Amino acid sequence: LARKQRATDAGGIELAVAALQAHPQVADVQQECVWAMASVCAGTDAAALARKQRAAVAGAIEAIVAAMRAHPQVQKMVCRALVNVCFGTDGAALARKQ
């Protein structure tokens, strides 16, 4: 858990979103960034909920969906990332699901 937070504190979420946006046609970049987002956003504690919200604000949901559209072979990982980013029952989670 500490590693997820360290990655987040270092700007990892925003960097992964930026890489997804900068390299939309590179399947390997898309897959690895989506995997990283799925990993960093996993969890249900307060810190995980904050990481999920940070990812959503950074544009992760749109970038992840774009990866699925461009590279059908990453759909399984995209689904996992979307579940992890959108999961929750708090007000912010409900907004992410809209």
Side-chain angles (χ1 to χ4, degrees), residues 13-23:
I13 289 173
E14 293 80 5
L15 288 172
V17 170
L20 285 166
Q21 294 168 340
H23 305 286

Side-chain angles (χ1 to χ4, degrees), residues 29-97:
V29 170
Q30 299 294 298
Q31 181 171 328
E32 295 301 322
C33 288
V34 167
W35 179 83
M37 198 69 59
S39 178
V40 168
C41 292
T44 58
D45 63 349
L49 295 177
R51 290 191 300 271
K52 294 169 195 291
Q53 187 59 28
R54 185 168 173 170
V57 169
I61 294 170
E62 296 80 5
I64 291 167
V65 170
M68 182 169 16
R69 287 189 177 126
H71 305 284
Q73 68 271 28
V74 302
Q75 286 182 358
K76 181 178 179 182
M77 187 55 63
V78 165
C79 290
R80 183 174 296 140
L82 284 174
V83 166
N84 287 354
V85 171
C86 294
F87 181 82
T89 57
D90 61 323
L94 297 175
R96 289 191 298 271
K97 295 175 188 178

